[in-house]
Amino acid sequence: MRAGRAAVLALLMTSLLATALGLNLSLDRRRTEDRVLRGVNALAEAAAAQAAAMLNGLDQALLGLEGLDEDAEGEGRLQRHEALAPEGTGLFVLDAAGAVKLATARGREHIAGLQQGYAASLASLPAGEPALYVAPPLRGREGSILPLLRRLDAHRVGMALLPLQGLAGQYARLPLAKGARLLLFDAEGHRLAVHPPGPWPAGEKPARAEEVVRALRERRRASGMDRAAADGTPRYYAAVPVQGQPVMLIALQSQKEVMAPWWQRTWLLIGLALLATLAIGAGTVLVLREMARRLAARQAATARLEALARGSAQIAAMAEMPALLHRVGQLARQAAAARFAAIRLHEPAGHEPVIDLKPGDAPPALAALRRLALEPGLAGDAPCLWPAQAERPAALSVPLRGADGAPLGTLLVGDADHAFDADDIAMLSQLGVLAGIAIRNRRLIGTLHHAAQEAESARGRVEFILESISDGFIALDSEWRFAYANTAARRMLKLAEGALPRQTLWQRYPILLETALVEQLHTVAARGGRAEFDITLPCEGGDRSFRMLSYPAGDGIALQFRETGQRQAAAPEALAGGALPGAAIIQAAGLAHDLGHLMAAMEETASRLPPEAAEAAEALRRSGALGQALSGALLGLIRSGRTEARPADPAALLRGLLGLLRRLAGPAVALEAEIPPSLPPLPLEAGQLESAVVNLVLNARAAMPQGGSLRLTLHRLEAAPAPLPPGPCLRLAVQDSGSGFHGAALGRAGEAGFSEKPGGHGLGLAAIAAFARRQGGAFRLSDAAGGGCLAELLLPWSPLPLPAPSETLPPPRLEGSPCILLVEDEPSLRQRLTAQLQALGCAVHAAEDGPAALQLVEEGLRPDLLLTDVMLPGGLSGLHLAEKARHWQPSCAVLLISAYAVEAGTTPGQPPLLLKPCTGDELAAALQSALTQKVLASDPLSGEKLTFQ
């Protein structure tokens, strides 16, 4: 089929070539003839102009004979006029009878040499003719002579005898092409001149003289091809009447002479066309042979591709890396018909190459193949052919890459008797892509298993802490079902060991539905915050009374409780503070910190798994969700610790933390502490101070991945440095030998959201700075002498006055049901804020990011107030979203909300900011204030910033 199409194509190309050649020759002939005709016309015009000039000169000479006297003076003047005439011309003056009255010597010679005399010429002069008259030529001794007559007056006639040989010589100066000829005819059809001389004598009439006479009488031009010449030679002609004279000039050009170059080009093109036809035929034969060869090779390659496809399906299903590599090597060797194949992976370092040999090859070849596979030059970015050398066969190397293009290793095949072609490179490149994806998937699955093990280990550590406390601890999910219960809780509530009951809290204890606990727990779940209450539950052996503390944990809530018994009058803070000591709280904070990072890594790994590992990715996400719930519960337990500023010895607090700090720093970091035995009590938030120290140690450890030294210093300064107020202060310094901050990062390290670590949240140092400001102090970062970073926490010895506790009132409902546009990226917090706003009587429209909020506005929403988080995903922060509010609705109020401590500008009219989580009355007060003041986003955001701590 393909051969037939090629033959038809060759025939079509030959036909097109012949047609194009014929058209080209026809157009070339027409152009050549047009060019020749233009040349003949131009020659005729030039010759006619020259003849007109000559005859007009003779006419002027004859006009000058008027009034000549018949004496010696008149004869002299006649001689002077003759000198101005063409060479060989004789002048004389005749009377009416024909007698010579005046004549020059040359004129008398011409008259004497005439065979028939000039009487016939004089007699042919028309009566009363005032113009120059050209009479028929006369025969003389020098050949034909042309008589030209003009009446001078009624009795005399001026006459000039011009030898036609001299007339023809006038055209010798014109450039004539080969085969060109000029002829001059008079009014009766006589040839007056012929140049160059030829078979046509001057003075005679040609056979077609009537055509010349008729054209001259009509004074018309003519040109074309004369194929009826007497000698049978086709000629191009151009006939032009001489201006002002009764003569006509005809230019002739032989067709044979001018078309000779065209015939040469024609035969050359015909020869080239024949050669092209032969080349097309030969090329067609070669193409047909090559197509047959390639078809056979394609069939063989198709068979190898089918085998490769079947093997690729097996690769995707292999779970063990060694078996996968051996199968890839076997497929590569078979696909390229090679004697051996080898695979070398870049990681781990020192990986031994996997070699697959053709059955029957000698085992001693393994050593040479191993050296070949380990050569550094074989690892390239593209397939590469390696020629055979003394101890190395010819080889083809193909890079192995993952789906993201990252290099994974090199696939090498070789055969001493086989030359690799483009098909081999294409097949092996495709196999390299499939193998790279399979290898990366195997590694991701291995990472998945490792991450799952780490997650399980971290979860075990969290559960170990919760199991070690004496208080009962229960975690409830979003549907109020039991998600976790520690041993103390199982003992107090008489829950059976093993799986937790699948009942909800209300199904387990229906009596709670009749108490105020339902409303309290729903308030905690919807609005955040904490709630403490006393409750009596029915248990085995009778009712038991408990003191409970509830707070949000993940998507649900956590309950921490203990039996009241003899300790019923214990202060609520004893429950929170006695449950976990300060060191245990910090240890739990470190665990929650590490667990949060681990959960983020698990989520990232799950998102990068291929579609065929969907079940494993879903299992990883479920484990991550459970770990996040435990982390949230642990953080909730930590938040229930001390939060009030009380007098404490900073030195004693830090000495109690040294054991934990050394474990956090790790064995590769040498921790040196300089802490005085004791210091005067300082009113401070002890838990926040411990958290700040732990955070600084964790950041220092992260800056020294290869290990280093860490120095912790605590002492009292009698004179506080600026910007602290005058007086003594506490200085806590942590200095490491790590990499420090780079460039402008040092000045931004205390900003919320800024981090130099990939995936870092950038909140740790900001939280320390916020704690320092609440204490009236400062937090400073600088480059340490000798390298590393120096962090200083400065706290004044005169604490800031503590705010008086406010009375808890139920949140008031807002008047008028204002329309609120809520923008919050955290789904659980968005749901809780929506519930809180609806409880305040607001019409709520929620969006998860800035672009979604803009979409609602474009669809026609006109809110009374924009309530937005400051830090949002989607490329549009809360500040920028508030700035765009002025384009929606000039009267739209703006209320910012953030989970981090903030220092706002002091410009009047700046948007208010609410810290989250917040209670219902705090939210109601902020909304009422914002709606009353109608703070516009166009004014407060011009040039002002919010600095996150």
Side-chain angles (χ1 to χ4, degrees):
M1 183 66 71
R2 293 185 178 180
R5 287 200 297 266
V8 171
L9 181 61
L11 181 60
L12 179 61
M13 292 179 61
T14 303
S15 302
L16 292 176
L17 180 62
T19 303
L21 179 62
L23 291 174
N24 181 67
L25 292 176
S26 176
L27 292 174
D28 188 38
R29 182 182 180 90
R30 181 174 298 177
R31 287 193 297 268
T32 301
E33 290 179 345
D34 291 343
R35 184 172 63 253
V36 171
L37 282 176
R38 288 195 299 271
V40 172
N41 276 283
L43 178 63
E45 292 283 352
Q50 188 172 356
M54 180 181 64
L55 294 177
N56 290 333
L58 286 173
D59 190 17
Q60 293 298 322
L62 292 176
L63 283 174
L65 301 182
E66 295 180 355
L68 290 179
D69 297 328
E70 299 175 1
D71 51 15
E73 183 180 356
E75 188 172 345
R77 290 179 59 189
L78 182 66
Q79 187 69 36
R80 288 193 294 274
H81 281 288
E82 184 184 76
L84 299 176
E87 184 180 356
T89 301
L91 298 179
F92 50 90
V93 178
L94 304 175
D95 60 10
V100 177
K101 295 300 181 180
L102 287 174
T104 63
R106 186 175 298 165
R108 295 181 186 281
E109 291 178 3
H110 288 330
I111 292 175
L114 293 177
Q115 298 178 2
Q116 300 175 348
Y118 57 83
S121 299
L122 182 62
S124 63
L125 178 65
E129 177 68 32
L132 179 68
Y133 173 68
V134 180
L138 303 175
R139 301 294 297 178
R141 287 194 299 268
E142 298 179 0
S144 298
I145 295 177
L146 180 66
L148 295 97
L149 298 91
R150 169 178 280 278
R151 290 187 183 277
L152 302 179
D153 51 37
H155 305 289
R156 295 192 303 174
V157 176
M159 187 173 184
L161 296 177
L162 174 64
L164 293 182
Q165 183 178 2
L167 179 61
Q170 295 293 324
Y171 297 114
R173 293 189 292 273
L174 293 177
L176 299 181
K178 185 178 181 181
R181 194 176 303 275
L182 295 174
L183 295 91
L184 187 66
F185 291 88
D186 62 8
E188 297 181 2
H190 296 93
R191 281 192 289 265
L192 301 181
V194 179
H195 178 74
W200 307 317
E204 297 183 356
K205 284 187 177 182
R208 301 167 63 183
E210 293 80 4
E211 298 179 10
V212 176
V213 173
R214 187 166 53 253
L216 182 59
R217 187 180 303 119
E218 298 174 358
R219 305 297 293 180
R220 59 181 173 84
R221 299 167 180 263
S223 63
M225 168 69 74
D226 183 13
R227 300 183 184 275
D231 57 358
T233 302
R235 293 182 177 86
Y236 299 98
Y237 71 90
V240 178
V242 177
Q243 185 176 6
Q245 304 298 334
V247 294
M248 175 171 283
L249 195 290
I250 297 178
L252 301 176
Q253 176 64 59
S254 173
Q255 184 190 43
K256 178 180 178 181
E257 300 296 337
V258 297
M259 294 304 292
W262 179 85
W263 281 108
Q264 292 177 358
R265 293 195 301 273
T266 299
W267 288 115
L268 178 62
L269 289 176
I270 291 175
L272 293 176
L274 291 176
L275 290 177
T277 303
L278 292 177
I280 292 174
T284 303
V285 173
L286 293 177
V287 168
L288 293 176
R289 288 183 179 179
E290 180 64 17
M291 290 176 63
R293 185 191 68 80
R294 291 195 175 188
L295 180 60
R298 186 66 62 187
Q299 291 174 347
T302 301
R304 287 187 288 171
L305 279 174
E306 291 176 353
L308 183 62
R310 291 191 297 269
S312 299
Q314 298 174 359
I315 290 175
M318 290 184 175
E320 298 296 332
M321 183 69 76
L324 185 149
L325 296 179
H326 278 289
R327 182 56 177 158
V328 171
Q330 184 182 27
L331 289 174
R333 179 180 55 79
Q334 294 173 353
R339 291 178 54 207
F340 74 90
I343 298 177
R344 185 185 71 185
L345 300 182
H346 297 332
E347 294 180 1
H351 179 267
E352 189 69 17
V354 177
I355 299 176
D356 180 78
L357 289 174
K358 182 179 180 181
D361 274 6
L366 286 174
L369 296 179
R370 182 180 179 277
R371 289 194 300 271
L372 173 61
L374 291 176
E375 287 189 12
L378 292 180
D381 294 333
C384 185
L385 291 171
W386 303 91
Q389 294 183 358
E391 298 181 357
R392 186 183 74 185
L396 169 63
S397 63
V398 176
L400 301 178
R401 297 183 179 276
D404 56 353
L408 300 177
T410 304
L411 172 63
L412 182 71
V413 294
D415 188 350
D417 302 324
H418 179 69
F420 298 105
D421 55 16
D423 291 336
D424 293 323
I425 295 176
M427 283 191 296
L428 292 178
S429 297
Q430 185 64 27
L431 177 60
V433 172
L434 295 175
I437 295 175
I439 291 171
R440 184 163 184 81
N441 288 344
R442 296 290 82 73
R443 287 181 172 176
L444 287 175
I445 291 175
T447 303
L448 168 65
H449 289 309
H450 179 70
Q453 292 173 357
E454 289 291 333
E456 187 64 26
S457 174
R459 194 175 87 176
R461 293 163 61 193
V462 174
E463 290 184 357
F464 175 78
I465 294 176
L466 296 178
E467 292 293 332
S468 65
I469 64 176
S470 59
D471 290 343
F473 183 89
I474 293 177
L476 302 175
D477 61 16
S478 59
E479 298 180 356
W480 303 98
R481 298 183 183 275
F482 290 88
Y484 173 78
N486 67 352
T487 302
R490 290 176 182 269
R491 184 184 69 253
M492 295 180 195
L493 301 180
K494 303 300 182 181
L495 298 177
E497 296 293 333
L500 290 171
R502 296 302 300 164
Q503 301 169 308
T504 65
L505 179 66
W506 322 117
Q507 292 171 341
R508 178 79 177 180
Y509 302 107
I511 191 174
L512 297 179
L513 296 174
E514 303 175 1
T515 66
L517 178 63
V518 176
E519 182 180 355
Q520 292 175 333
L521 292 183
H522 278 83
T523 301
V524 171
R527 303 181 183 178
R530 297 185 302 163
E532 300 176 11
F533 48 86
D534 295 317
I535 191 68
T536 300
L537 297 177
C539 301
E540 290 186 19
D543 295 344
R544 308 182 70 175
S545 299
F546 298 95
R547 180 69 172 176
M548 284 194 175
L549 176 67
S550 63
Y551 43 84
D555 291 335
I557 66 171
L559 298 175
Q560 183 182 350
F561 56 91
R562 64 174 53 175
E563 288 189 71
T564 55
Q566 300 298 325
R567 296 166 291 176
Q568 187 169 1
E573 55 269 20
L575 175 63
L580 286 177
I585 291 177
I586 300 306
Q587 184 177 8
L591 290 175
H593 178 273
D594 294 342
L595 183 60
H597 280 287
L598 183 58
M599 295 306 106
M602 291 174 63
E603 178 64 26
E604 181 185 2
T605 302
S607 64
R608 293 165 59 188
L609 289 177
E612 55 267 23
E615 293 184 4
E618 183 60 28
L620 183 60
R621 290 191 180 95
R622 287 197 299 268
S623 298
L626 181 57
Q628 290 285 9
L630 290 176
S631 176
L634 183 58
L635 288 175
L637 180 62
I638 296 168
R639 294 190 189 102
S640 67
R642 62 189 75 145
T643 58
E644 298 179 357
R646 298 182 179 181
D649 182 358
L653 289 176
L654 261 63
R655 282 200 307 273
L657 281 177
L658 282 180
L660 173 61
L661 296 179
R662 295 188 190 280
R663 290 193 297 272
L664 291 177
V669 177
L671 176 62
E672 180 182 353
E674 183 180 341
I675 303 173
S678 64
L679 286 172
L682 173 66
L684 50 78
E685 300 177 43
Q688 294 296 325
L689 178 62
E690 292 171 334
S691 177
V693 176
V694 170
N695 215 329
L696 290 175
V697 171
L698 290 176
N699 277 278
R701 183 189 66 182
M704 299 182 292
Q706 306 300 327
S709 61
L710 181 63
R711 181 179 178 83
L712 188 149
T713 305
L714 179 71
H715 59 276
R716 172 188 171 104
L717 296 178
E718 295 302 326
L724 271 67
C729 74
L730 178 71
R731 178 180 181 270
L732 171 65
V734 178
Q735 179 177 346
D736 62 68
S737 60
S739 56
F741 290 91
H742 303 285
L746 182 62
R748 300 187 56 198
E751 297 180 9
F754 176 80
S755 176
E756 284 192 306
K757 296 178 288 185
H761 51 67
L763 300 177
L765 297 180
I768 298 175
F771 162 64
R773 274 186 291 275
R774 288 198 304 273
Q775 291 286 132
F779 176 63
R780 301 188 302 192
L781 291 172
S782 60
D783 292 326
C789 178
L790 173 63
E792 296 175 281
L793 179 62
L794 303 172
L795 302 178
W797 229 270
S798 298
L800 295 177
L802 298 178
S806 59
E807 181 181 0
T808 302
L809 297 176
R813 293 181 63 85
L814 299 177
E815 297 181 359
S817 298
C819 179
I820 307 297
L821 175 55
L822 171 63
V823 188
E824 170 59 52
D825 60 309
E826 177 62 31
S828 59
L829 184 55
R830 186 168 62 248
Q831 294 175 1
R832 293 173 185 171
L833 285 173
T834 300
Q836 287 179 303
L837 290 170
Q838 291 173 346
L840 295 173
C842 302
V844 184
H845 298 269
E848 63 183 358
D849 53 25
L854 292 178
Q855 181 66 29
L856 291 176
V857 174
E858 291 175 358
E859 293 174 357
L861 178 64
R862 291 297 179 263
D864 297 316
L865 182 138
L866 170 66
L867 176 60
T868 176
D869 192 0
V870 178
M871 301 175 67
L872 291 172
L876 190 65
S877 69
L879 295 176
H880 294 157
L881 186 62
E883 186 177 3
K884 291 180 178 292
R886 63 166 174 253
H887 301 296
W888 311 341
Q889 186 176 343
S891 61
C892 179
V894 177
L895 176 60
L896 303 178
I897 185 169
S898 175
Y900 312 114
V902 171
E903 284 185 355
T906 57
T907 303
Q910 178 171 316
L913 181 114
L914 179 64
L915 293 180
K916 59 180 180 180
C918 60
T919 62
D921 55 350
E922 292 173 341
L923 179 60
L927 289 174
Q928 187 65 49
S929 175
L931 289 171
T932 301
Q933 297 175 10
K934 289 292 185 181
V935 179
L936 301 181
S938 58
D939 295 333
L941 297 179
S942 57
E944 295 296 330
K945 298 193 300 181
L946 295 180
T947 305
F948 281 77
Q949 305 302 328

